[in-house]
Amino acid sequence: MADVKSPVSNPREEVPRDPETQQAELTDLPHGIDVEQYRATVPRWKRIWQHSLTQMVLLSIQAFCGPAMSDAITGLGGGGLATPQVSNISTAIRYAMLAVGGPIVNKIGVKWALVIGSMSFPIQGSAYYCNSKFGNQWYLILSGAISGIGTACWYVAEAGAIMTLAPSGARGKYLALWIVSRNLGQLVGGAINLAKNHEKGAEGGISPDTYVAFVIIESLAVILILCYGLPFALLIIPFERVVRSDGTKIVTAETLSTKQELRRIAKTVTSRLIMLSSLWALWSFFYSGSWSTYLGIYFSVRARALSSLVSPFFCIVGCFGLGFILDMKGLSQRRRAQIGLYTVIILNVGVYIWSIIMQVKFDHHNPGHIDWDDGIYAKSFLPYFFVQTTGPLSQSYMYWLLSSFATDAQENVRNGAAFRCIEAVGQAVAYGMNTQTTSDPIIGFGVTFGLLGAAIVPMIMLVNSTPDQIPADVVAEQQNAAREKLEGA
């Protein structure tokens, strides 16, 4: 605990203070605040700006403009291409690059990591457009490496923020809000896909004009950044200035030197928390390569376009449902962690069994390109539909669980970075593997199912050791007690 900022070192003198001095003292409070004094001395606009929910909404707006549009393109199945091989190679490279970029976020800060990340997302959309319009596949592959560096900064900063901003009793709902922002982007992208690619009998890739719309939306974040003084990124304030809805402030640690930070990262990577959750991290998004390939092989262009529109709907309901379970007041944090884990596992197992059954049938009789008016469409598409919910549920749950062990905001960033790096390795392997399984996703389905099975026992061990109170909250209580003792001296 030596890194945690110590409480006020000297008792506050009982002398008249001007409003600016009062505001400075409020900012310096280790954890809780005097709500009445805060309201009396801080302008309403600043209180709204500093509110944890406002910061989460700002982060969600950025997620809508960038990652959500990227996911919508991937949701076309092979990026909407006639064959998914080139898309899988590009995506594998992007996630491989992402895996090596995360650990720098604690040094450059969440805000600037988000700026760099926001500028990288339009590259992917433009590469898909150029590939579809001009056939230059080299740019599609190169974009995977270029955008991977930027998205590494984004994803790690995002992971740390979403685990840190929420008050302890509302972490599940905050995480659900983040998931919803991602899926609202997919809804918009899906509507564009369907509007541009609804004609029956279309073969090959989707309409090139579709990518123009994606590039415009993805570029919105960059355009606003350049034209309006970095509004999204600069409105993300340092963690120590955030005031949560329950009146608490975020526990932060002293800034470490580069050498100290690298040592702390190495310690995090080898910690019990990360070791026990590593297989879950490797598995958590491994499904995306196989199911994207499944969609690209067996469904028509307009069926793929429809899938990108309807797939997010159930995810929104499911993630808020899980959020309510994880935030239940009447159960201990450990019990909520256990219920959440078993819920996620059971749902995923059901979807995987269904998907494997459908793929075995397709191996015996290739259905060709299934359209939405074919009789086989519903039972063939529903596994993909449900995995778009069970997959994000796994992510949302894991970030909630990781935040249950953190002692401060910086540790959340390190834990999130480690988890996302392992997750990115899994995604890179999944998409790379699917470049070699062009006609039969059954191998990918089997490997994904096997990874889930291997991850269950370590996760049960981890979940059964979940503390009944977040360590950061314990630290905050100790800081407050020390501050009150000093003030009463």
Side-chain angles (χ1 to χ4, degrees):
M1 303 293 180
D3 298 324
V4 178
K5 287 182 178 178
S6 60
V8 181
S9 56
N10 295 308
R12 299 185 191 275
E13 299 180 4
E14 295 298 326
V15 296
R17 292 164 293 176
D18 56 58
E20 290 186 2
T21 302
Q22 292 179 6
Q23 170 59 24
E25 290 179 353
L26 283 171
T27 302
D28 290 339
L29 285 176
H31 191 64
I33 65 170
D34 185 329
V35 177
E36 292 184 3
Q37 184 184 21
Y38 180 66
R39 289 176 177 172
T41 58
V42 179
R44 183 179 180 84
W45 67 267
K46 184 173 286 188
R47 297 201 306 269
I48 294 173
W49 176 33
Q50 293 178 338
H51 197 282
S52 58
L53 183 58
T54 302
Q55 293 295 304
M56 195 68 174
V57 169
L58 290 170
L59 189 67
S60 297
I61 291 172
Q62 288 188 305
F64 169 84
C65 292
M69 293 298 103
S70 176
D71 291 343
I73 292 178
T74 302
L76 286 170
L81 300 174
T83 58
Q85 286 77 26
V86 172
S87 178
N88 283 337
I89 292 171
S90 174
T91 307
I93 292 174
R94 181 159 63 96
Y95 286 123
M97 295 300 296
L98 191 155
V100 300
I104 63 172
V105 172
N106 265 341
K107 296 303 296 181
I108 65 175
V110 168
K111 177 186 298 184
W112 297 110
L114 292 175
V115 170
I116 296 171
S118 296
M119 292 183 175
S120 70
F121 286 109
I123 297 174
Q124 182 193 19
S126 65
Y128 276 123
Y129 172 77
C130 291
N131 175 258
S132 183
K133 187 77 172 179
F134 308 112
N136 53 346
Q137 297 184 357
W138 64 267
Y139 179 39
L140 183 62
I141 296 174
L142 178 63
S143 72
I146 297 174
S147 64
I149 297 171
T151 53
C153 294
W154 166 275
Y155 282 122
V156 173
E158 181 189 43
I162 63 176
M163 290 193 294
T164 302
L165 289 173
S168 59
R171 287 176 295 146
K173 298 181 187 70
Y174 270 60
L175 286 166
L177 175 63
W178 165 63
I179 291 290
V180 166
S181 71
R182 290 290 194 94
N183 284 275
L184 285 178
Q186 282 190 263
L187 287 175
V188 174
I192 296 170
N193 292 343
L194 191 58
K196 293 288 186 181
N197 304 279
H198 63 277
E199 296 293 337
K200 184 173 183 178
E203 297 292 339
I206 71 168
S207 164
D209 292 341
T210 305
Y211 295 116
V212 175
F214 279 128
V215 173
I216 290 172
I217 295 174
E218 286 183 312
S219 299
L220 178 62
V222 177
I223 292 171
L224 290 176
I225 285 171
L226 295 175
C227 296
Y228 298 99
L230 306 172
F232 294 157
L234 292 182
L235 285 175
I236 299 294
I237 61 177
F239 286 141
E240 58 267 21
R241 294 172 56 194
V242 173
V243 178
R244 293 174 172 144
S245 56
D246 61 358
T248 60
K249 299 194 76 177
I250 295 170
V251 175
T252 58
E254 298 287 354
T255 301
L256 302 178
S257 67
T258 301
K259 186 176 181 179
Q260 290 174 320
E261 183 66 31
L262 290 174
R263 286 178 178 174
R264 190 60 58 85
I265 290 170
K267 184 178 179 181
T268 297
V269 171
T270 57
S271 67
R272 180 176 184 272
L273 175 64
I274 298 303
M275 296 299 289
L276 289 178
S277 64
S278 58
L279 283 175
W280 186 278
L282 196 67
W283 159 77
S284 63
F285 253 141
F286 201 89
Y287 73 90
S288 57
S290 298
W291 269 267
S292 178
T293 302
Y294 172 83
L295 195 68
I297 292 173
Y298 296 116
F299 292 84
S300 67
V301 172
R302 69 172 189 167
R304 282 180 265 163
L306 179 64
S307 75
S308 63
L309 174 63
V310 302
S311 294
F313 280 102
F314 195 64
C315 177
I316 293 172
V317 176
C319 286
F320 269 109
L322 180 64
F324 279 104
I325 291 174
L326 297 177
D327 290 339
M328 284 190 297
K329 305 296 183 184
L331 298 175
S332 68
Q333 181 168 262
R334 182 175 302 172
R335 181 63 64 189
R336 284 176 278 143
Q338 292 167 338
I339 294 173
L341 177 65
Y342 294 132
T343 300
V344 171
I345 289 174
I346 290 170
L347 292 175
N348 274 285
V349 167
V351 171
Y352 289 175
I353 291 174
W354 190 350
S355 302
I356 290 173
I357 290 173
M358 290 307 303
Q359 184 58 51
V360 169
K361 290 182 178 179
F362 289 167
D363 286 344
H364 285 88
H365 176 70
N366 192 324
H369 287 93
I370 303 170
D371 202 13
W372 68 46
D373 56 3
D374 293 337
I376 198 177
Y377 174 75
K379 64 180 180 180
S380 303
F381 170 68
L382 282 177
Y384 179 87
F385 175 76
F386 286 124
V387 84
Q388 298 305 307
T389 298
T390 60
L393 280 179
S394 308
Q395 295 282 304
S396 182
Y397 171 77
M398 194 61 218
Y399 290 126
W400 180 91
L401 184 64
L402 288 175
S403 67
S404 300
F405 288 86
T407 57
D408 53 58
Q410 285 80 2
E411 187 169 337
N412 265 334
V413 172
R414 294 186 197 102
N415 290 338
F419 183 81
R420 285 214 143 162
C421 284
I422 300 171
E423 169 195 292
V425 171
Q427 287 178 290
V429 172
Y431 279 98
M433 182 181 68
N434 279 282
T435 64
Q436 305 300 319
T437 57
T438 59
S439 61
D440 190 358
I442 192 68
I443 297 175
F445 291 161
V447 172
T448 307
F449 202 176
L451 281 174
L452 173 59
I456 290 176
V457 172
M459 280 296 291
I460 291 175
M461 294 172 59
L462 178 61
V463 166
N464 287 342
S465 66
T466 304
D468 285 329
Q469 189 175 7
I470 301 173
D473 290 347
V474 176
V475 172
E477 290 175 1
Q478 294 172 348
Q479 290 178 337
N480 284 336
R483 176 172 59 87
E484 290 171 1
K485 183 177 180 180
L486 287 171
E487 289 177 341

